[in-house]
Amino acid sequence: MNKAIRFIPLVLIVLLGIVLYRGLSLDPRAMPSALVGKPMPDFKLTTLLDENKVVTKADLKGNIVLLNVWATWCPTCRYEHPYLLDIAKNKDIMLYGVNYKDDKVLAKKWLSTLGNPYNITLFDDEGKLGLDLGVYGAPETFVVDHNGIIRKRFAGAIDRNVWISEFMPLITEILTEQKQGK
Amino acid sequence: MFKTFIVTLLTYLTLTISVSSNASPVETFAFKDDVTKVRFQTLTKELRCPKCQNQDLADSNSPIAADLRKQIYAQLTQGRSDQEIVDYMVARYGEFVLYRPRVTSLTYVLWFGPILALLLGAVIVVLILRSRNNKKEEPALTSTEQDKVSALLNKKAK
């Protein structure tokens, strides 16, 4: 009995060590989105390039949509921009931009000088759609499936590695679902 | 030497505290009454800023925290209840924004773990104390041995 008690501190330290060691490899900023598995929130926004064109949630339906939240004030968005141009070549997905709390003139200039990867860019100057999506910074990218359900939220820059490891498997999965008529 | 160290440490601490309280965000909101004001202050302290994770909404300077403060203010003015506002935030940013997590099967460890640890500690202390007491109660010598010892001692005294 006495000997067993002597080992309790050691056991506790080892357990604590395991817990803390695991904590080292966790990314505290990688938060699960509250919206994964839920329908895309309703919105009604004009586009960046055409003030008279109104886009709503209904326009997304039927397509696999990659919704990329970006702004000219965001340096990481500039970093990921060239890769978005690459993704735009993929005909399986519709690339929607959400220009988030930005200046219209600067945003248009950004697209004309750096190239425009987006099929449609929504102009969310008040951050209303951003708020409903739980966006807390830029860039953030959402995958919305053909039924209008949010399947993924990714905070941070997309590059080739991220695209292949984080997005491609999900896109393939949704494509199969689409073919099966789900 | 040690005293001066403590005094310096305390001075630094007070300095940093006053500096950080000066750095609070500077928007001004006009509240219709004191109750709403207190509710706003409580809500912004109970909700975490999603961007700068170790600050509450009241304390954070990040743009998203400013947006959420405005949102809370707008909803309070619309007459929404505290629970509705908290639910609104949780629906968008997840349970993560709550500084006081809800009691669910996921958070049982969080809520009841400390009590369990305390009980476990108490049990261990009791066990240790008991085994010590048991030792004391055991007489060091049996009665016959004791008799022998006193006999020997008595002989010497003579």
Side-chain angles (χ1 to χ4, degrees), chain B residues 36-54:
Chain B
T36 324
K37 188 177 167 187
V38 172
R39 282 174 64 203
F40 178 83
Q41 286 166 347
T42 322
L43 278 169
T44 49
K45 283 201 174 116
E46 295 250 311
L47 293 167
R48 191 202 293 247
C49 164
K51 182 76 187 171
C52 29
Q53 306 194 338
N54 293 325

Side-chain angles (χ1 to χ4, degrees), chain B residues 89-117:
Chain B
M89 294 296 172
V90 170
R92 282 158 184 77
Y93 297 97
E95 295 274 324
F96 167 85
V97 291
L98 303 175
Y99 262 125
R100 270 188 308 157
R102 292 169 173 170
V103 185
T104 64
S105 54
L106 268 177
T107 55
Y108 281 159
V109 177
L110 212 58
W111 278 102
F112 305 117
I115 299 172
L116 277 180

Side-chain angles (χ1 to χ4, degrees), chain A residues 107-120:
Chain A
K108 280 183 178 173
K109 202 179 151 202
W110 168 294
L111 289 185
S112 59
T113 49
L114 296 174
N116 182 0
Y118 307 109
N119 296 86
I120 288 171

Side-chain angles (χ1 to χ4, degrees), chain A residues 12 73 90 94 122 154:
Chain A
L12 287 180
W73 45 259
N90 186 333
M94 286 279 274
L122 306 168
F154 181 83

Side-chain angles (χ1 to χ4, degrees), chain B residues 20-94:
Chain B
S20 61
S21 62
N22 284 342
S24 279
V26 283
E27 305 130 341
T28 41
F29 291 107
F31 297 98
K32 60 177 181 201
D33 50 38
D34 281 351
V35 179
T36 324
K37 188 177 167 187
V38 172
R39 282 174 64 203
F40 178 83
Q41 286 166 347
T42 322
L43 278 169
T44 49
K45 283 201 174 116
E46 295 250 311
L47 293 167
R48 191 202 293 247
C49 164
K51 182 76 187 171
C52 29
Q53 306 194 338
N54 293 325
Q55 281 182 302
D56 54 31
L57 287 183
D59 196 29
S60 170
N61 275 317
S62 81
I64 183 67
D67 280 1
L68 294 182
R69 281 195 296 271
K70 272 179 217 151
Q71 188 62 227
I72 291 175
Y73 176 72
Q75 296 197 9
L76 281 174
T77 337
Q78 285 162 22
R80 292 239 209 156
S81 75
D82 288 3
Q83 192 56 52
E84 279 172 328
I85 296 174
V86 168
D87 288 345
Y88 175 94
M89 294 296 172
V90 170
R92 282 158 184 77
Y93 297 97

Side-chain angles (χ1 to χ4, degrees), chain A residues 93-111:
Chain A
I93 48 178
M94 286 279 274
L95 187 53
Y96 274 69
V98 178
N99 186 231
Y100 176 63
K101 300 184 73 173
D102 205 356
D103 180 281
K104 204 166 214 170
V105 178
L106 290 179
K108 280 183 178 173
K109 202 179 151 202
W110 168 294
L111 289 185

